Amino acid sequence: MKNSIIVLSSLFFTFTTMQAQNDRPQPKPGPSPTVNVGKPQKFTLPNGLKVMVVENHKLPRVSFNLSIDNAPFAEGAKKGVDDLTGALIGNGTKTISKEAFNEEVDFMGANINFSANGGYASGLSKYAGRVLELLAQGALEPNFTQAELDKEKAKLIEGLKSGEKSVQNVASRVENVLAFGKNHPAGEFLTEQSINNVSLNDVVQHYNTYFVPENAYLVVIGDVKFADVKAKVEKAFETWDKALAPNLSYNDPKNVQYTQINFVDMPNAVQSNISFVNTVSLKMMDKDFFAAILANQIFGGDFNSYLNMNLREKHGWTYGARSTIKGNKYITKFTASAQVRNAVTDSAVVELMKEVKRIRTEKVTDKVLKDVKAAYIGNFVMQIEKPETVARYALQTETQKLPADFYENYIKSINAVTVDEVMAAAKKYFMADNARIVVVGKGSEVVPALEKTKIPMFFFDKYGNPVEKPVTKKADAKVTVQTIVDNYINAIGGIKAVSEVKTVATFAKGSVQGQVIDFNTKAATKGGFALDMALPAMGMTLVKQRVNDKTAYIEQQGNKKVIEGEDYKLMKSQLHPFAEMYFIDNPAITFTGIEKINDVDAYVIKTPKARFFYDMKTGLKIAVEKEQKQGEKVAKSMLYYADYKDVKGVKYPFKITLEAGMPIELTVSEVKVNEGVTDADFQ
């Protein structure tokens, strides 16, 4: 861990007692600092590629940013073709294999990557010519193959599946669907079917249609000479055939007639995601652009904003609340969002709306505006030193049709914004009377309280389709902890078969951000338990947990925590191969009702620190929600069980999904019953 050293500098002022000096007028504020944004030298190739070169000889490095500024387009039933095309570009070329391409890039210490909208390369200036050649070859001579397409499809689908249980992912998707519509480029979304609809020919046709030079820009920044780089660019890109991508148009989305809550029920949600959303048309050339971005900073754009100070600092409901608005030549959206505990979802909505009305109706103080300007300008000045920022500004100047001195006057434009202009921008762009408040959370816990806010509420599924209000089912009076446990034991093999199980060892594998993960457990009915979660390729153990007849501990990356007392007893019982054996006649364990888990109705049994879910139809355990105290906060995690298979007369889940921050899907390769487990495993 790096140590942070904070150097405190004390400024001492010396005052004179002379009256003449006391009467001396205070100095006037100096002029705004000037910024020198590198001015590009420009030229255009016959095929339409526009090139901008900014010479910067401070460091022996160079970067090339190729960007294709096509109009947005919808992909329809083949949503995903753009993602797949971008993923396949750069996997070698028609003349260089993928391995040889990557090896040469690594040898030069360069960085080259591609997307469906261009590519980026950087490296030492002594390799500038070759880096440019590889960028051009990768972009203009892609080697599309069925094998690589199948790999990229599998990756995309895997990522899609892993995100389906994420409240944040669902919230983002529904936000866009409701704000823009499913047929709008900004509102359509990936599905497994749409990805599978994409063929290799679709990728080739998509590339030929949209990866064209007429709307393309190449920004070169670094230790190069204009004349030299001009000749090299002309040679590298001269074979790119002149073409123009289709310029499709779409109806502008409309905001709702009145503010409303759009609710999505996710029964597995341990907290709610709240988003205040409305579509806006804000261009960087608009006269109120700078007032709008400052209004956003004050409302929710940085840590000291109204929204964050209220929801996080005053009430402690969230780790952070933010808002975003950006200038764009197309319709975009203003959003303000936070993730809060289920119990305070309604209160957070009320407070969010209060802050929206505050920024629209109360003038910000001169001091607050001055402080926000200073912070914003400070960040702008720091960013302007980075080559990638210069490249972005050069590109935006062209694509957004900005004046040549737009960024030179940026600080001046910020400082010129008045208190009245901030309020006017807030009234225009933060639409308190025409907003969607998209809430994704656990309906059974948050809907009754949200209804008391008196804000009209409509219900949608995870894909933005209208649905009826979620109804909590009532269980039959005969359902008890005993009947649920009996059904579960019968479903997995019966009490006789279960009673014969003395030890269970489970071996599973999954992946985390591309890294293979081993997840192995061993358990004994007498109370022993061992868990090892590791990254074998890195030789790293992430989590080690042991429970025996005397004590227990959890070790995470070298930090060991011993579990004792009542916590030890509880842990020992719940880590039994069949924890349900401890449920009967325990007053601390209760049946709480019926809830949906992944669209399945399930009976819920609550223990002191966990909740167990059992499929009402099959009786099988399908999920466990656990609580763990982290300082003053309680963290929740989910385990999902599926694909039950018989091993020596008892059924065990062969698919386990762990959801604690990010979903990890585990596939069980083997379950050993009454073999391969000793007391030494639990030490």
Side-chain angles (χ1 to χ4, degrees):
M1 222 177 144
K2 293 183 179 178
N3 292 322
S4 299
I5 301 175
I6 304 176
V7 180
L8 301 178
S9 299
S10 299
L11 301 177
F12 296 90
F13 296 89
T14 303
F15 295 91
T16 177
T17 57
M18 296 177 61
Q19 184 63 42
Q21 289 180 325
N22 285 337
D23 293 338
R24 185 177 296 163
Q26 296 297 314
K28 295 181 180 179
S32 299
T34 56
V35 213
N36 295 315
V37 181
K39 288 292 185 183
Q41 300 178 71
K42 305 175 186 178
F43 64 96
T44 302
L45 271 61
N47 57 20
L49 174 64
K50 300 158 205 48
V51 185
M52 293 170 278
V53 181
V54 180
E55 293 188 27
N56 185 332
H57 303 287
K58 291 181 180 179
L59 294 173
R61 297 193 63 83
V62 63
S63 67
F64 303 92
N65 183 36
L66 176 65
S67 179
I68 303 175
D69 185 43
N70 290 329
F73 55 89
E75 299 168 59
K78 295 186 178 182
K79 175 66 178 175
V81 65
D82 195 60
D83 296 273
L84 291 167
T85 302
L88 291 176
I89 298 174
N91 283 332
T93 74
K94 293 177 181 177
T95 55
I96 307 174
S97 71
K98 177 181 177 180
E99 293 73 21
F101 187 95
N102 292 335
E103 186 177 327
E104 187 172 1
V105 171
D106 290 341
F107 173 79
M108 294 185 294
N111 174 32
I112 302 181
N113 52 65
F114 299 90
S115 73
N117 301 312
Y120 175 83
S122 64
L124 294 173
S125 52
K126 67 178 180 179
Y127 296 126
R130 185 55 181 159
V131 170
L132 176 62
E133 287 176 0
L134 289 175
L135 175 68
Q137 288 178 29
L140 305 186
E141 303 174 19
N143 185 30
F144 298 135
T145 66
Q146 187 64 48
E148 289 294 333
L149 175 60
D150 291 341
K151 288 180 186 177
E152 296 300 335
K153 277 188 176 183
K155 287 182 191 176
L156 205 54
I157 291 172
E158 181 184 356
L160 198 63
K161 288 180 177 179
S162 68
E164 280 306 297
K165 296 184 181 71
S166 165
V167 173
Q168 297 95 306
N169 285 0
V170 170
S172 177
R173 177 172 62 208
V174 173
E175 266 183 36
N176 290 332
V177 168
L178 298 181
F180 297 98
K182 289 183 180 179
N183 297 322
H184 190 279
E188 61 176 4
F189 54 85
L190 289 168
T191 66
E192 186 172 352
Q193 181 179 351
S194 71
I195 294 168
N196 283 326
N197 285 343
V198 178
S199 68
L200 186 62
N201 185 60
D202 292 326
V203 170
V204 173
Q205 291 299 321
H206 187 83
Y207 171 83
N208 290 335
T209 302
Y210 290 99
F211 207 97
V212 293
E214 188 64 35
N215 290 325
Y217 298 83
L218 179 66
V219 182
V220 184
I221 295 179
D223 187 23
V224 293
K225 296 291 186 181
F226 177 76
D228 180 49
V229 80
K230 182 174 185 292
K232 289 176 178 172
V233 168
E234 289 172 338
K235 181 179 179 181
F237 287 94
E238 64 183 357
T239 60
W240 201 0
D241 293 334
K242 183 179 179 67
L244 177 65
N247 188 3
L248 305 176
S249 61
Y250 300 85
N251 293 329
D252 287 345
K254 304 296 182 184
N255 286 297
V256 288
Q257 293 182 335
Y258 51 87
T259 292
Q260 56 192 249
I261 293 174
N262 294 168
F263 186 82
V264 178
D265 184 25
M266 285 192 70
N268 64 306
V270 295
Q271 60 181 5
S272 299
N273 192 99
I274 302 170
S275 299
F276 176 101
V277 186
N278 56 251
T279 56
V280 297
S281 176
L282 175 64
K283 298 176 176 57
M284 295 182 71
M285 275 296 296
D286 289 347
K287 62 180 182 180
D288 57 2
F289 168 73
F290 291 99
I293 60 175
L294 286 177
N296 178 70
Q297 287 297 106
I298 294 164
F299 172 70
D302 64 21
F303 185 85
N304 295 313
S305 65
Y306 289 179
L307 197 58
N308 200 55
M309 288 296 102
N310 184 325
L311 300 188
R312 174 190 163 113
E313 296 302 296
K314 180 180 178 180
H315 290 103
W317 293 337
T318 179
Y319 287 113
R322 305 283 290 185
S323 67
T324 305
I325 192 170
K326 294 180 180 179
N328 197 301
K329 58 183 177 180
Y330 304 107
I331 295 291
T332 184
K333 62 181 180 178
F334 165 73
T335 61
S337 61
Q339 295 170 32
V340 302
R341 303 189 311 277
N342 291 338
V344 298
T345 301
D346 58 316
S347 300
V349 168
V350 171
E351 292 300 314
L352 187 153
M353 289 303 298
K354 184 174 84 173
E355 296 301 344
V356 173
K357 291 175 181 176
R358 176 187 174 192
I359 188 73
R360 286 166 50 90
T361 59
E362 295 180 16
K363 288 186 179 181
V364 61
T365 66
D366 291 331
K367 183 181 185 309
V368 167
L369 181 57
K370 180 181 177 182
D371 290 345
V372 167
K373 286 179 178 180
Y376 199 88
I377 289 170
N379 183 63
F380 172 79
V381 172
M382 286 191 295
Q383 294 297 318
I384 204 69
E385 298 297 323
K386 300 177 181 179
E388 57 268 30
T389 301
V390 176
R392 186 172 74 252
Y393 289 170
L395 187 61
Q396 285 181 336
T397 300
E398 292 291 325
T399 59
Q400 303 279 341
K401 308 302 180 188
L402 304 176
D405 59 355
F406 181 85
Y407 287 104
E408 277 76 5
N409 290 329
Y410 202 90
I411 293 176
K412 181 180 177 182
S413 300
I414 288 287
N415 279 328
V417 174
T418 67
V419 167
D420 288 333
E421 288 171 339
V422 167
M423 180 182 283
K427 286 182 177 179
K428 179 177 179 181
Y429 297 109
F430 309 164
M431 303 177 192
D433 299 323
N434 307 96
R436 296 182 185 272
I437 305 170
V438 180
V439 180
V440 180
K442 188 171 183 177
S444 60
E445 293 186 7
V446 303
V447 166
L450 283 173
E451 289 178 325
K452 293 178 182 178
T453 66
K454 303 302 181 183
I455 301 173
M457 191 181 311
F458 301 92
F459 299 91
F460 299 85
D461 66 13
K462 295 191 295 184
Y463 305 98
N465 300 309
V467 295
E468 295 297 321
K469 175 183 173 181
V471 177
T472 303
K473 291 188 176 181
K474 292 184 178 180
D476 189 290
K478 297 179 182 179
V479 178
T480 64
V481 172
Q482 178 78 61
T483 63
I484 296 169
V485 170
D486 288 345
N487 288 339
Y488 167 67
I489 296 298
N490 289 333
I492 63 175
I495 189 65
K496 183 177 183 300
V498 169
S499 298
E500 292 174 355
V501 176
K502 304 305 178 186
T503 64
V504 179
T506 302
F507 304 91
K509 287 187 180 292
S511 64
V512 177
Q513 297 181 343
Q515 292 285 334
V516 173
I517 183 171
D518 284 343
F519 188 91
N520 303 327
T521 63
K522 293 183 178 182
T525 55
K526 64 181 180 181
F529 182 82
L531 178 150
D532 292 281
M533 185 186 297
L535 294 173
M538 302 176 65
M540 178 188 298
T541 298
L542 300 176
V543 180
K544 179 180 178 181
Q545 186 173 345
R546 297 292 185 268
V547 180
N548 54 50
D549 59 355
K550 293 182 180 179
T551 187
Y553 67 86
I554 299 175
E555 188 173 318
Q556 293 180 285
Q557 299 182 9
N559 297 317
K560 185 175 180 180
K561 180 182 179 182
V562 177
I563 311 298
E564 299 174 316
E566 291 301 316
D567 287 339
Y568 162 69
K569 291 179 183 178
L570 181 62
M571 175 180 282
K572 188 174 180 181
S573 67
Q574 292 190 350
L575 295 179
H576 184 284
F578 307 103
E580 288 75 10
M581 304 299 283
Y582 287 84
F583 287 1
I584 308 304
D585 298 326
N586 186 336
I589 297 176
T590 58
F591 166 55
T592 60
I594 298 172
E595 295 185 23
K596 274 191 180 293
I597 289 289
N598 297 331
D599 298 324
V600 173
D601 289 326
Y603 291 128
V604 184
I605 291 179
K606 187 177 187 303
T607 70
K609 289 192 176 181
R611 298 198 307 149
F612 292 72
F613 300 82
Y614 301 85
D615 189 322
M616 288 177 59
K617 292 182 178 179
T618 67
L620 294 172
K621 177 165 55 184
I622 56 176
V624 176
E625 178 188 83
K626 294 187 177 182
E627 292 184 354
Q628 184 177 355
K629 199 165 185 180
Q630 295 180 347
E632 296 299 316
K633 298 184 181 295
V634 175
K636 292 187 178 182
S637 62
M638 293 291 297
L639 277 168
Y640 298 94
Y641 302 103
D643 192 21
Y644 277 80
K645 295 180 181 179
D646 186 281
V647 180
K648 294 185 178 180
V650 178
K651 292 180 179 179
Y652 299 89
F654 272 65
K655 182 178 179 182
I656 303 170
T657 302
L658 170 63
E659 196 171 276
M662 68 175 66
I664 303 173
E665 289 194 357
L666 302 166
T667 300
V668 176
S669 58
E670 185 179 17
V671 174
K672 290 184 177 181
V673 177
N674 295 338
E675 61 175 315
V677 178
T678 67
D679 289 345
D681 292 321
F682 308 130
Q683 302 306 312

